[in-house]
Amino acid sequence: MVVKTFSTDPERASPLKRIIARMVDLLVAWALTLVVPPAGVLGGILYLAVADSFQNGQSLGKMAFGLEVHGGNGHPCTLKDSIYRNLPFSLGLIFAVIPVIGWILLIFAIIPILFIELWLVIVDDKGMRLGDRISDTLVVERVP
């Protein structure tokens, strides 16, 4: 797989800020699932999938912590990019609501992938996790 270089030289986002921002987004998705079951579950899944395509590549969590998602061309994350980069999180929520088989898939497939994602955010020079590599995106500190 070839990873494109970005046209600008943005500052790599702090791994701690990224983790906390993701936790905020997961809380938003979780809250949506509780609001109006079962429609809330769909709302939570959709939020996780498309949130990074909001305002200048910022989910609610990223807005709160001054982060942006840029595409390979240096522009804000598109809807398609957001769906691809957030697939593990969306699938995790889908599997979490499916009795028995969903939990088995969550435990043996999604959770290990999420640990790899976390590890890559911390150790990769650009902080690119698997989702970033698949969608050719990069999370950076927002420039005012």
Side-chain angles (χ1 to χ4, degrees):
M1 176 184 311
V2 176
V3 177
K4 297 178 191 173
T5 57
F6 292 82
S7 58
T8 60
D9 190 21
E11 184 178 341
R12 175 186 176 206
S14 156
L16 182 58
K17 281 186 178 181
R18 285 187 69 178
I19 292 165
I20 296 171
R22 176 56 66 178
M23 289 172 43
V24 168
D25 290 331
L26 290 171
L27 284 173
V28 169
W30 179 65
L32 287 170
T33 64
L34 298 177
V35 173
V36 186
V41 173
L42 180 59
I45 292 166
L46 287 174
Y47 174 77
L48 286 178
V50 304
D52 291 331
S53 66
F54 292 169
Q55 176 88 20
N56 294 319
Q58 295 179 295
S59 65
L60 294 175
K62 287 180 182 67
M63 281 184 214
F65 289 92
L67 304 175
E68 294 179 338
V69 181
H70 289 189
N73 56 8
H75 292 96
C77 183
T78 66
L79 180 64
K80 178 181 161 187
D81 293 341
S82 183
I83 291 169
Y84 284 146
R85 78 181 303 275
N86 291 308
L87 195 56
F89 298 98
S90 302
L91 286 175
L93 186 53
I94 291 169
F95 291 157
V97 298
I98 299 172
V100 185
I101 191 72
W103 279 86
I104 292 170
L105 290 170
L106 179 69
I107 292 167
F108 292 106
I110 299 300
I111 290 176
I113 290 171
L114 295 178
F115 276 113
I116 293 168
E117 296 269 63
L118 175 63
W119 180 73
L120 286 171
V121 165
I122 295 168
V123 302
D124 185 77
D125 290 342
K126 292 183 178 181
M128 293 179 74
R129 60 183 182 81
L130 294 173
D132 291 317
R133 293 166 195 268
I134 291 167
S135 62
D136 190 29
T137 56
L138 181 67
V139 179
V140 298
E141 297 284 340
R142 186 173 186 277
V143 179

